[in-house]
Protein backbone atom coordinates (compact mmCIF):
# COMPACT_ATOMS: atom_id res chain seq x y z
CA UNK A 1 0.00 0.00 0.00
CA UNK A 2 1.51 3.32 -1.05
CA UNK A 3 2.14 5.93 1.57
CA UNK A 4 0.00 9.02 1.55
CA UNK A 5 1.77 12.13 0.23
CA UNK A 6 2.88 14.50 2.92
CA UNK A 7 1.23 17.89 3.09
CA UNK A 8 3.03 20.93 4.44
CA UNK A 9 1.43 23.99 5.95
CA UNK A 10 3.01 27.17 4.63
CA UNK A 11 2.24 29.05 7.81
CA UNK A 12 3.25 26.26 10.21
CA UNK A 13 4.86 27.08 13.53
CA UNK A 14 8.61 27.57 13.49
CA UNK A 15 10.78 24.95 15.08
CA UNK A 16 12.13 25.72 18.52
CA UNK A 17 15.76 25.80 17.38
CA UNK A 18 14.87 28.29 14.62
CA UNK A 19 13.03 30.55 17.07
CA UNK A 20 15.96 30.56 19.45
CA UNK A 21 18.45 31.48 16.70
CA UNK A 22 16.39 34.19 15.01
CA UNK A 23 15.35 36.01 18.15
CA UNK A 24 11.86 36.52 16.67
CA UNK A 25 8.91 36.72 19.08
CA UNK A 26 7.44 33.27 19.59
CA UNK A 27 3.98 34.28 20.73
CA UNK A 28 2.67 35.94 17.54
CA UNK A 29 -0.92 34.76 17.12
CA UNK A 30 -2.22 33.44 13.84
CA UNK A 31 -5.32 34.91 12.21
CA UNK A 32 -7.84 32.14 12.51
CA UNK A 33 -10.25 33.68 9.98
CA UNK A 34 -8.03 34.03 6.93
CA UNK A 35 -5.11 31.89 7.95
CA UNK A 36 -2.67 34.62 6.94
CA UNK A 37 0.32 35.60 8.95
CA UNK A 38 0.32 39.37 8.33
CA UNK A 39 -3.12 40.24 9.81
CA UNK A 40 -2.24 38.41 12.99
CA UNK A 41 1.06 40.29 13.20
CA UNK A 42 -0.72 43.62 12.74
CA UNK A 43 -3.23 42.80 15.48
CA UNK A 44 -0.35 41.96 17.78
CA UNK A 45 2.02 44.86 17.12
CA UNK A 46 -0.15 47.91 16.36
CA UNK A 47 -2.23 48.13 19.50
CA UNK A 48 -3.22 45.35 21.88
CA UNK A 49 -6.35 47.23 22.90
CA UNK A 50 -7.86 47.21 19.41
CA UNK A 51 -10.76 44.94 18.72
CA UNK A 52 -10.65 42.39 15.91
CA UNK A 53 -12.80 44.61 13.64
CA UNK A 54 -10.60 47.68 14.18
CA UNK A 55 -7.44 45.67 13.73
CA UNK A 56 -8.80 44.29 10.46
CA UNK A 57 -9.67 47.84 9.33
CA UNK A 58 -6.16 49.07 10.13
CA UNK A 59 -4.69 46.15 8.23
CA UNK A 60 -6.89 46.79 5.19
CA UNK A 61 -6.23 50.54 5.03
CA UNK A 62 -2.54 50.67 5.92
CA UNK A 63 -1.13 47.38 4.73
CA UNK A 64 -3.28 45.43 2.30
CA UNK A 65 -4.12 48.36 -0.03
CA UNK A 66 -0.54 49.68 -0.20
CA UNK A 67 2.35 48.61 -2.34
CA UNK A 68 5.60 47.93 -0.53
CA UNK A 69 8.75 48.27 -2.64
CA UNK A 70 11.39 45.89 -1.34
CA UNK A 71 14.00 47.13 -3.84
CA UNK A 72 14.86 50.45 -5.45
CA UNK A 73 13.85 50.13 -9.13
CA UNK A 74 15.50 53.46 -10.02
CA UNK A 75 18.82 52.23 -8.69
CA UNK A 76 18.47 48.96 -10.58
CA UNK A 77 17.70 50.75 -13.85
CA UNK A 78 20.63 53.12 -13.42
CA UNK A 79 23.01 50.18 -13.18
CA UNK A 80 21.82 48.58 -16.43
CA UNK A 81 24.41 48.60 -19.23
CA UNK A 82 23.72 51.11 -21.99
CA UNK A 83 21.45 53.35 -19.95
CA UNK A 84 22.22 57.07 -20.31
CA UNK A 85 23.48 58.29 -16.97
CA UNK A 86 24.51 54.90 -15.61
CA UNK A 87 27.95 54.48 -14.12
CA UNK A 88 29.05 52.15 -16.90
CA UNK A 89 27.86 54.57 -19.58
CA UNK A 90 29.58 57.54 -17.93
CA UNK A 91 32.82 55.59 -17.62
CA UNK A 92 32.60 54.50 -21.26
CA UNK A 93 32.00 58.05 -22.48
CA UNK A 94 34.83 59.45 -20.36
CA UNK A 95 37.24 57.03 -22.02
CA UNK A 96 36.09 58.02 -25.51
CA UNK A 97 38.64 60.12 -27.37
CA UNK A 98 37.23 63.47 -28.44
CA UNK A 99 38.50 65.64 -31.22
CA UNK A 100 40.19 68.81 -29.99
CA UNK A 101 39.76 72.34 -31.30
CA UNK A 102 43.25 72.23 -32.81
CA UNK A 103 42.40 69.04 -34.69
CA UNK A 104 39.17 70.62 -35.94
CA UNK A 105 41.15 73.53 -37.39
CA UNK A 106 43.63 71.16 -39.01
CA UNK A 107 40.82 69.11 -40.55
CA UNK A 108 39.07 72.33 -41.66
CA UNK A 109 35.71 71.10 -40.45
CA UNK A 110 34.11 74.53 -40.30
CA UNK A 111 35.63 75.91 -43.50
CA UNK A 112 33.62 76.22 -46.69
CA UNK A 113 35.24 74.52 -49.70
CA UNK A 114 36.24 76.76 -52.56
CA UNK A 115 33.67 75.28 -54.95
CA UNK A 116 30.84 76.13 -52.50
CA UNK A 117 31.73 79.81 -52.21
CA UNK A 118 29.22 81.00 -54.77
CA UNK A 119 26.57 83.65 -54.18
CA UNK A 120 23.97 81.79 -56.26
CA UNK A 121 24.19 78.75 -53.97
CA UNK A 122 23.20 80.85 -50.94
CA UNK A 123 20.21 82.61 -52.51
CA UNK A 124 17.83 79.74 -51.57
CA UNK A 125 19.12 80.03 -47.99
CA UNK A 126 18.37 83.75 -48.04
CA UNK A 127 14.82 83.15 -49.30
CA UNK A 128 14.32 80.60 -46.55
CA UNK A 129 15.62 83.10 -43.97
CA UNK A 130 13.23 85.75 -45.31
CA UNK A 131 10.26 83.46 -44.62
CA UNK A 132 11.67 82.64 -41.18
CA UNK A 133 12.17 86.26 -40.13
CA UNK A 134 8.77 87.29 -41.50
CA UNK A 135 7.07 84.63 -39.37
CA UNK A 136 9.18 85.64 -36.37
CA UNK A 137 8.40 89.36 -36.59
CA UNK A 138 4.70 88.91 -37.33
CA UNK A 139 2.32 89.90 -40.08
CA UNK A 140 2.46 93.65 -39.37
CA UNK A 141 4.79 95.91 -41.26
CA UNK A 142 8.15 96.40 -39.56
CA UNK A 143 7.93 100.18 -39.95
CA UNK A 144 4.57 100.23 -38.15
CA UNK A 145 5.95 98.11 -35.31
CA UNK A 146 8.97 100.41 -34.93
CA UNK A 147 6.64 103.41 -34.58
CA UNK A 148 5.01 101.95 -31.48
CA UNK A 149 7.40 101.96 -28.49
CA UNK A 150 5.98 98.78 -26.92
CA UNK A 151 6.05 96.85 -30.19
CA UNK A 152 9.51 98.25 -30.90
CA UNK A 153 10.92 96.65 -27.73
CA UNK A 154 9.32 93.31 -28.60
CA UNK A 155 10.61 93.53 -32.16
CA UNK A 156 14.19 94.26 -31.08
CA UNK A 157 14.06 91.46 -28.52
CA UNK A 158 13.13 88.99 -31.25
CA UNK A 159 15.85 90.26 -33.57
CA UNK A 160 18.48 89.85 -30.85
CA UNK A 161 17.71 86.13 -30.58
CA UNK A 162 17.09 85.49 -34.28
CA UNK A 163 19.29 83.22 -36.35
CA UNK A 164 21.17 85.26 -38.96
CA UNK A 165 22.41 82.46 -41.20
CA UNK A 166 21.09 83.45 -44.61
CA UNK A 167 20.53 87.12 -43.78
CA UNK A 168 21.95 89.97 -45.83
CA UNK A 169 24.42 92.11 -43.88
CA UNK A 170 26.36 95.20 -44.88
CA UNK A 171 29.18 96.87 -42.96
CA UNK A 172 27.96 100.39 -42.24
CA UNK A 173 30.87 101.65 -40.14
CA UNK A 174 34.13 100.20 -38.95
CA UNK A 175 37.41 101.21 -37.34
CA UNK A 176 39.10 99.56 -40.30
CA UNK A 177 38.05 101.41 -43.50
CA UNK A 178 38.69 98.30 -45.62
CA UNK A 179 35.57 96.64 -44.17
CA UNK A 180 33.21 99.54 -44.88
CA UNK A 181 30.82 98.72 -47.73
CA UNK A 182 31.28 94.95 -47.66
CA UNK A 183 27.93 93.21 -48.09
CA UNK A 184 26.75 89.67 -48.57
CA UNK A 185 24.78 86.72 -47.24
CA UNK A 186 25.77 85.32 -43.85
CA UNK A 187 27.22 81.87 -44.49
CA UNK A 188 28.50 81.34 -40.97
CA UNK A 189 28.38 83.21 -37.67
CA UNK A 190 30.96 82.66 -34.94
CA UNK A 191 31.41 84.34 -31.60
CA UNK A 192 33.69 87.06 -32.96
CA UNK A 193 33.00 87.30 -36.69
CA UNK A 194 30.57 87.03 -39.59
CA UNK A 195 31.51 85.07 -42.70
CA UNK A 196 29.82 86.64 -45.73
CA UNK A 197 29.44 85.44 -49.30
CA UNK A 198 29.61 88.48 -51.56
CA UNK A 199 28.02 88.89 -54.99
CA UNK A 200 31.40 88.41 -56.66
CA UNK A 201 31.64 84.90 -55.10
CA UNK A 202 34.13 85.78 -52.38
CA UNK A 203 34.18 84.64 -48.77
CA UNK A 204 35.04 87.54 -46.47
CA UNK A 205 35.46 87.33 -42.70
CA UNK A 206 34.34 90.51 -40.94
CA UNK A 207 35.05 90.84 -37.20
CA UNK A 208 32.19 91.94 -34.99
CA UNK A 209 34.37 94.12 -32.81
CA UNK A 210 34.48 97.81 -33.75
CA UNK A 211 31.97 97.31 -36.56
CA UNK A 212 28.37 98.39 -37.13
CA UNK A 213 26.28 96.28 -39.51
CA UNK A 214 23.07 96.97 -41.40
CA UNK A 215 20.63 94.07 -41.33
CA UNK A 216 18.27 94.07 -44.33
CA UNK A 217 14.77 92.95 -43.36
CA UNK A 218 11.74 92.19 -45.55
CA UNK A 219 9.72 95.12 -46.93
CA UNK A 220 12.97 97.16 -47.35
CA UNK A 221 13.33 97.70 -43.58
CA UNK A 222 16.78 97.98 -42.03
CA UNK A 223 18.22 97.52 -38.56
CA UNK A 224 21.63 98.46 -37.17
CA UNK A 225 23.67 95.83 -35.32
CA UNK A 226 26.50 96.97 -33.06
CA UNK A 227 29.07 94.22 -33.26
CA UNK A 228 30.64 94.96 -29.87
CA UNK A 229 27.35 94.01 -28.19
CA UNK A 230 26.72 91.09 -30.52
CA UNK A 231 29.79 89.01 -29.69
CA UNK A 232 28.00 85.76 -28.86
CA UNK A 233 27.42 82.53 -30.68
CA UNK A 234 24.05 82.09 -32.34
CA UNK A 235 23.08 79.36 -29.85
CA UNK A 236 24.08 81.58 -26.91
CA UNK A 237 22.05 84.53 -28.16
CA UNK A 238 18.90 82.37 -28.32
CA UNK A 239 19.01 81.77 -24.56
CA UNK A 240 20.72 84.93 -23.31
CA UNK A 241 18.88 87.75 -21.57
CA UNK A 242 20.23 91.01 -22.97
CA UNK A 243 20.40 94.22 -20.95
CA UNK A 244 20.31 97.71 -22.45
CA UNK A 245 23.78 99.24 -22.62
CA UNK A 246 25.00 102.51 -24.10
CA UNK A 247 26.74 102.24 -27.46
CA UNK A 248 29.74 104.34 -28.42
CA UNK A 249 29.34 105.49 -31.98
CA UNK A 250 32.29 104.88 -34.28
Amino acid sequence: MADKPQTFDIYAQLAKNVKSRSGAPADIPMDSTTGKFTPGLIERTINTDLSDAKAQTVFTERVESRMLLLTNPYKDNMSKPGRVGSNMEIARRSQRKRITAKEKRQLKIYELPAEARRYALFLPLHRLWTKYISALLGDKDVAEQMADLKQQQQLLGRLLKADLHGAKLEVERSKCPNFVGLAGIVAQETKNAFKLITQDDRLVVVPKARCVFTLHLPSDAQCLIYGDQFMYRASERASKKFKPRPSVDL
Side-chain angles (χ1 to χ4, degrees):
M1 185 176 178
D3 297 335
K4 292 182 179 181
Q6 293 181 343
T7 58
F8 299 95
D9 192 355
I10 298 177
Y11 297 102
Q13 296 289 338
L14 293 175
K16 293 182 179 180
N17 58 345
V18 176
K19 293 179 182 178
S20 60
R21 290 200 309 268
S22 63
D27 56 345
I28 298 178
M30 299 295 293
D31 190 348
S32 58
T33 304
T34 60
K36 293 184 178 179
F37 173 74
T38 307
L41 178 64
I42 297 300
E43 293 175 12
R44 176 70 177 176
T45 56
I46 290 181
N47 192 345
T48 56
D49 298 333
L50 291 177
S51 63
D52 294 342
K54 290 184 179 180
Q56 183 65 31
T57 303
V58 171
F59 169 73
T60 305
E61 294 178 354
R62 300 187 181 182
V63 180
E64 192 175 29
S65 59
R66 289 194 177 185
M67 182 182 294
L68 179 62
L69 295 179
L70 301 179
T71 59
N72 188 349
Y74 179 76
K75 184 177 180 180
D76 295 340
N77 291 336
M78 289 296 292
S79 61
K80 289 183 179 179
R83 178 182 174 87
V84 178
S86 63
N87 296 333
M88 297 177 61
E89 182 70 12
I90 294 175
R92 186 179 65 83
R93 289 190 177 186
S94 61
Q95 296 175 358
R96 184 187 303 169
K97 180 176 174 56
R98 297 181 179 180
I99 187 170
T100 62
K102 182 179 180 180
E103 293 173 344
K104 290 179 182 179
R105 289 192 296 268
Q106 292 176 350
L107 295 174
K108 299 181 180 180
I109 293 179
Y110 299 116
E111 291 189 12
L112 289 174
E115 59 272 13
R117 301 175 184 178
R118 290 190 297 165
Y119 187 81
L121 293 179
F122 286 86
L123 285 177
L125 178 63
H126 172 66
R127 289 193 290 267
L128 184 64
W129 181 86
T130 302
K131 296 179 181 178
Y132 154 74
I133 202 67
S134 299
L136 181 65
L137 300 181
D139 299 332
K140 294 184 179 180
D141 188 27
V142 177
E144 296 179 1
Q145 297 185 49
M146 293 297 289
D148 189 355
L149 182 60
K150 184 177 180 180
Q151 293 185 359
Q152 179 182 357
Q153 297 298 327
Q154 295 177 355
L155 180 68
L156 294 178
R158 294 172 185 173
L159 286 175
L160 283 173
K161 299 178 183 245
D163 190 353
L164 299 182
H165 290 90
K168 284 186 178 181
L169 284 183
E170 182 179 357
V171 182
E172 186 74 18
R173 297 188 293 274
S174 176
K175 281 292 184 181
C176 179
N178 294 332
F179 291 131
V180 177
L182 290 177
I185 299 175
V186 178
Q188 186 178 2
E189 179 188 0
T190 63
K191 181 179 180 180
N192 300 312
F194 285 112
K195 294 183 179 180
L196 307 179
I197 298 293
T198 61
Q199 291 187 0
D200 53 353
D201 298 337
R202 289 190 305 120
L203 177 66
V204 294
V205 181
V206 183
K208 295 180 180 179
R210 304 295 187 269
C211 288
V212 179
F213 301 89
T214 299
L215 175 64
H216 297 274
L217 299 173
S219 66
D220 297 333
Q222 296 180 353
C223 178
L224 289 181
I225 295 177
Y226 288 84
D228 290 327
Q229 300 187 12
F230 222 68
M231 297 180 67
Y232 302 96
R233 296 182 179 89
S235 58
E236 294 176 353
R237 284 193 291 105
S239 59
K240 181 175 177 58
K241 184 177 181 180
F242 287 87
K243 297 180 180 179
R245 295 179 181 176
S247 299
V248 179
D249 201 357
L250 299 174

